[in-house]
Amino acid sequence: MNDFVQPMPSLKNQFDDDELLKSFLKIKIPEEYQKEVFTNLSNFGQRVVGDILLMSKDAEENPPCLVQFDCWGVRKDELKTSKGWKDLDKVSAEEEIVRIGYDKKFAHYSRMVQFSKLYLFHPSSAFYSCPLAMTDGAAKLIELYGDEQLKLKAFLHLTSNDPETFWTSGQWMTEKSGGSDVSRTETIARKINGKWKLFGIKWFSSATTSQMALALARIEDESGQTIAGSRGLSLFYIELKKETGESNNIEIIRLKEKLGTKALPTAELKLNGTDAELIGSIGDGVRLISSMFNITRLYNAVTAVAAFRRILTLAKDYSSKRLAFKKIINQHPLNVLILAQAQVDFHACFHLTFLISEIIGNDEVFTTDNSLKLNHEEISKILRLLTPIVKLYTAKKVVTWTSELLEVFAGVGYVEDSGIARLYRDNQVFCIWEGTTNILSLDLLRALKKDNSFSIFKKMVHQKLQLITSTELKAEVQKVFMATEEVERVLEIKTKRDECELEGIARDLAFSIGNIAAATGMLEHAAHANSPKNAENIVKLFLEKNLSQIGKFDQARFEKLQEVIS
Ligand code: MFK
């Protein structure tokens, strides 16, 4: 009889067991905050492998379902969610995952603390992190552009730590006619008896259980005319229920059958005269909502890195327990190679993402003696430049590495009840959610052109690197300096050429700048870490590759490529 039982991979306290996060925070967070932050994260690190993990299991095992009609044929559109999903909402409020970013208790370190908490939460949250992303984005937008009424109502709900009053928000942009190209939005806003009412279909609305949403719509004047394109789009605030508790004329057409993120209800909605309030000026909708999706894009990055850490942790733990060909598999050279390469890329993603937590923190709570030693305008421009990069970079890495690391588990990784198959399906969303890799690459070009922000980014990188005096890291520091020169040189040439050439290198540019930013964070950490040897080894391995990866792209090559796919 075969009675062999393979010991399972297991998870320990997700903060106490995270040497990288602890070391990073120890270096960055001032003494005065450390005790409170470390205690809070350590307690939370235990919860995410305890009660919170059980909530997410319940949410995954009991996905949402839609009851559209009662037995008499009356339309109900009742969205049923599990107890686990509801409890995750409560935990999010109590643990202040959104609030930490707004109460600014840790001054310009507030976002860093918040991102750390989100990073611990996400892999045990059944993607409750998605509603939280939009909630945070909505809070930011209202903080920037909301009127007093919205600030006194919605903002307080979105940033509440009381489960009874906490609200989540949806972000309703995507329509059948345009996911990436939002300018094709067809939803109409009509003024009827002095009030805005929306009519149209929103094609991908996650967090359908939210109390509010921010939506784009095209204003129709009294003669039925609209302005085409994105300049015709305005931003609206919607509450999903009327004061009576009835639906605000919103029909749930159906829930999406998605590849992954099955616990998260994502619906197609019909707005059938939905009461709405205009935010900001008419025609300014895309610009305003960008302040929301720039936050959700950062959530995308933090959660992608968190998901990367979860599968890597499980793969390393499993590799220390599984025997094959007379050796524990973490002794086999090919597996060592895979795990080490994944670890190096994981560190790059971590440092890139947590570098941006420092940048956004300093942007939101600006002081002249800020840790970046830049003025406010410079910090804002670097934030704008790095946001699309951090999103696309981490998303692509986690998707690639999830596939590779699944192989470590072989057949068990391919079956549902190992949980690995679910990670594989779920993680694919990081490249889709909040904009695809190509759209984010084009957004980088938008930022580069508008702000000339690469030279400011270069200034930040150089300032950080100049502080690294370790002779051990001298060659590596030099390599990053040279990579910034190389990207700058390419940009100078390419911005003078036609649009097609610049678009053709947009992805390469994004990954090159991402590599430079990640390497800067890794070097800074290695220079200050308590036990620097491992951090030095990791950054050296990372810098074995070329940071600047900009390939050849010109009109002749483009024509050749077009022929190839014809
Ligand atoms: C977690 C599980 C989720 C479940 C499954 C999800 C499946 C997928 C669901 C989805 O649908 S996610 C997709 C969400 N959609 C997006 O992320 C939108 C992607 N498209 C873009 O980001 C486009 O680049 C964009 C719509 C913004 C382009 O629109 P336009 O009309 O071509 O923008 P334009 O004219 O360049 O910019 C208009 C204004 O906005 C300009 O400001 P000014 O008026 O002052 O000049 C821009 O500078 C500004 N702007 C645009 N992007 C910005 C920005 N400002 C700051 N940051 C940005 N990123």
Side-chain angles (χ1 to χ4, degrees):
M1 197 174 99
N2 181 353
D3 55 4
F4 171 77
V5 176
Q6 171 62 43
M8 291 189 276
S10 56
L11 296 168
K12 303 189 184 107
N13 180 315
Q14 287 297 279
F15 181 69
D16 295 353
D17 195 37
D18 193 329
E19 294 307 328
L20 176 59
L21 179 62
K22 283 190 297 183
S23 169
F24 175 82
L25 294 177
K26 196 111 197 132
I27 293 166
K28 290 285 177 185
I29 302 269
E31 283 279 330
E32 63 190 290
Y33 301 135
Q34 283 206 3
K35 190 160 184 275
E36 182 177 353
V37 169
F38 275 62
T39 308
N40 185 305
L41 293 178
S42 178
N43 291 339
F44 193 56
Q46 194 56 46
R47 285 196 78 185
V48 297
V49 291
D51 63 328
I52 294 176
L53 191 59
L54 292 178
M55 291 171 199
S56 86
K57 271 195 173 154
D58 183 55
E60 295 291 357
E61 281 164 17
N62 300 287
C65 72
L66 176 64
V67 182
Q68 268 178 318
F69 296 95
D70 73 8
C71 63
W72 309 107
V74 177
R75 184 131 195 175
K76 287 170 63 173
D77 282 357
E78 188 189 345
L79 185 55
K80 292 197 168 168
T81 56
S82 62
K83 179 172 182 319
W85 186 254
K86 293 186 182 85
D87 287 344
L88 286 163
D89 179 77
K90 288 191 195 134
V91 161
S92 308
E94 282 164 3
E95 292 284 352
E96 306 188 318
I97 295 172
V98 175
R99 186 184 173 85
I100 299 169
Y102 292 87
D103 69 3
K104 312 281 196 278
K105 197 159 107 185
F106 306 109
H108 57 276
Y109 300 97
S110 299
R111 283 290 187 186
M112 200 178 275
V113 177
Q114 181 199 33
F115 283 15
S116 304
K117 206 148 186 187
L118 175 67
Y119 165 79
L120 297 176
F121 182 57
H122 167 74
S124 299
S125 79
F127 264 85
Y128 207 82
S129 47
C130 169
L132 297 185
M134 294 185 284
T135 302
D136 197 325
K140 175 88 180 197
L141 189 148
I142 291 171
E143 188 176 54
L144 289 174
Y145 307 115
D147 61 18
E148 273 316 294
Q149 240 180 327
L150 277 184
K151 283 183 183 157
L152 286 173
K153 189 179 181 191
F155 181 80
L156 294 182
H157 282 297
L158 297 170
T159 57
S160 170
N161 57 2
D162 176 359
E164 293 299 314
T165 57
F166 179 58
W167 280 9
T168 55
S169 174
Q171 171 188 291
W172 296 352
M173 288 197 303
T174 305
E175 300 200 2
K176 277 194 271 188
S177 47
S180 298
D181 185 0
V182 169
S183 72
R184 299 186 63 198
T185 294
E186 291 179 336
T187 295
I188 293 292
R190 279 191 198 119
K191 213 168 210 180
I192 301 175
N193 298 328
K195 292 206 164 137
W196 291 110
K197 298 208 179 267
L198 304 194
F199 299 85
I201 290 175
K202 293 293 175 184
W203 186 236
F204 265 98
S205 354
S206 289
T208 318
T209 44
S210 291
Q211 289 81 0
M212 61 161 280
L214 297 175
L216 288 177
R218 197 175 296 286
I219 287 180
E220 190 182 77
D221 67 18
E222 280 156 15
S223 59
Q225 299 295 308
T226 56
I227 296 171
S230 63
R231 300 286 155 191
L233 294 176
S234 303
L235 181 67
F236 290 88
Y237 165 80
I238 294 169
E239 287 182 13
L240 275 78
K241 295 260 163 70
K242 295 182 183 177
E243 273 174 11
T244 54
E246 294 165 291
S247 162
N248 184 5
N249 299 325
I250 300 167
E251 285 174 21
I252 306 180
I253 300 170
R254 61 176 162 163
L255 288 180
K256 292 286 195 192
E257 283 278 356
K258 292 171 290 179
L259 171 67
T261 67
K262 303 259 186 199
L264 168 72
T266 303
E268 290 166 26
L269 301 176
K270 183 171 181 190
L271 312 184
N272 212 356
T274 300
D275 292 330
E277 285 172 36
L278 178 70
I279 301 182
S281 314
I282 291 176
D284 207 15
V286 174
R287 192 181 67 82
L288 296 192
I289 208 163
S290 71
S291 63
M292 180 177 195
F293 63 61
N294 281 338
I295 290 289
T296 53
R297 285 173 182 174
L298 296 186
Y299 266 67
N300 196 308
V302 177
T303 54
V305 181
F308 192 166
R309 179 186 174 221
R310 176 61 55 94
I311 190 157
L312 180 57
T313 305
L314 293 171
K316 284 197 300 184
D317 190 58
Y318 178 72
S319 295
S320 72
K321 293 172 175 165
R322 175 74 172 168
L323 184 87
F325 306 109
K326 301 193 176 122
K327 277 197 282 196
I328 298 295
I329 63 172
N330 66 11
Q331 302 298 319
H332 287 282
L334 284 175
N335 199 31
V336 171
L337 208 62
I338 293 298
L339 293 176
Q341 282 169 348
Q343 185 78 29
V344 169
D345 264 4
F346 167 70
H347 275 241
C349 289
F350 175 94
H351 283 292
L352 176 60
T353 303
F354 278 84
L355 172 66
I356 216 167
S357 77
E358 182 180 0
I359 295 166
I360 187 175
N362 278 305
D363 183 55
E364 291 182 338
V365 186
F366 177 76
T367 54
T368 46
D369 63 340
N370 64 82
S371 60
L372 296 166
K373 298 183 179 53
L374 296 168
N375 69 39
H376 200 171
E377 195 185 347
E378 289 171 328
I379 294 174
S380 302
K381 286 181 176 177
I382 298 175
L383 178 62
R384 173 71 186 92
L385 175 84
L386 284 185
T387 298
I389 293 174
V390 67
K391 191 285 188 191
L392 72 87
Y393 188 103
T394 53
K396 219 31 157 190
K397 295 286 179 194
V398 72
V399 167
T400 308
W401 277 113
T402 302
S403 170
E404 189 64 69
L405 292 169
L406 185 147
E407 272 190 54
V408 172
F409 302 90
V412 174
Y414 199 67
V415 297
E416 285 296 339
D417 50 1
S418 69
I420 307 297
R422 182 178 58 72
L423 290 180
Y424 181 76
R425 288 188 280 100
D426 283 356
N427 290 352
Q428 189 67 44
V429 85
F430 291 116
C431 290
I432 309 287
W433 182 31
E434 302 307 332
T436 61
T437 312
N438 285 352
I439 288 298
L440 271 294
S441 303
L442 297 178
D443 190 51
L444 166 65
L445 296 188
R446 193 186 275 109
L448 281 168
K449 278 189 224 160
K450 196 168 178 180
D451 289 334
N452 183 31
S453 45
F454 186 77
S455 59
I456 305 166
F457 167 75
K458 182 180 155 191
K459 178 177 165 185
M460 178 193 76
V461 168
H462 283 212
Q463 283 181 180
K464 280 183 178 285
L465 295 182
Q466 272 155 5
L467 297 176
I468 299 171
T469 51
S470 154
T471 47
E472 192 58 41
L473 296 170
K474 209 169 157 199
E476 282 67 31
V477 166
Q478 198 50 34
K479 204 164 175 189
V480 182
F481 275 135
M482 280 163 56
T484 58
E485 303 295 338
E486 165 70 2
V487 171
E488 191 166 53
R489 196 181 55 76
V490 172
L491 271 174
E492 256 169 37
I493 301 168
K494 291 290 182 183
T495 38
K496 291 190 189 113
R497 305 267 183 86
D498 74 359
E499 194 62 23
C500 175
E501 270 198 35
L502 200 54
E503 286 193 13
I505 60 159
R507 264 193 192 220
D508 291 352
L509 266 176
F511 281 100
S512 301
I513 301 173
N515 282 338
I516 292 169
T520 304
M522 291 164 95
L523 283 166
E524 208 180 20
H525 181 245
H528 296 101
N530 251 349
S531 45
K533 212 68 233 143
N534 198 33
E536 281 171 9
N537 282 340
I538 288 175
V539 69
K540 282 181 181 190
L541 287 167
F542 183 68
L543 286 165
E544 278 175 3
K545 70 175 170 190
N546 287 328
L547 294 187
S548 170
Q549 300 175 346
I550 303 168
K552 182 171 149 51
F553 193 91
D554 54 26
Q555 189 58 32
R557 186 170 171 80
F558 182 55
E559 281 163 22
K560 219 182 281 170
L561 297 177
Q562 277 187 314
E563 271 173 39
V564 168
I565 60 167
S566 66

